Amino acid sequence: MALGGSTAFDDVFLAMAHARLGDHEQAELRLTHAILGMERDYPGHRELVCFCEEARSILAEGTEAPSATH
């Protein structure tokens, strides 16, 4: 990635990883890059759309207040 840049696929999986690690700022940045790359390079790509939706879901989980049962 450092030499040739990243693809929307790289960015969406990095977004999910960052979100799971608790780095929501970096996750949101990567998801934004993924969505822009998808719209530019892979418009209508069903699997990539699903991956972006999953990344959004993971990010939303991390921004919710923790439950009292934990």
Side-chain angles (χ1 to χ4, degrees):
M1 284 180 29
L3 294 176
S6 61
T7 68
F9 288 95
D10 298 328
D11 287 324
V12 74
F13 285 106
L14 285 170
M16 287 190 262
H18 283 294
R20 290 285 187 202
L21 292 171
D23 187 353
H24 296 286
E25 183 178 321
Q26 199 52 232
E28 289 178 14
L29 178 66
R30 287 296 182 170
L31 181 55
T32 298
H33 285 275
I35 292 168
L36 292 173
M38 176 180 63
E39 291 171 352
R40 181 187 62 233
D41 301 327
Y42 306 99
H45 194 288
R46 279 189 255 154
E47 288 84 6
L48 188 52
V49 169
C50 289
F51 290 140
C52 287
E53 289 173 3
E54 182 164 351
R56 279 190 196 109
S57 175
I58 293 169
L59 269 166
E61 288 172 11
T63 59
E64 295 173 1
S67 82
T69 59
H70 288 108

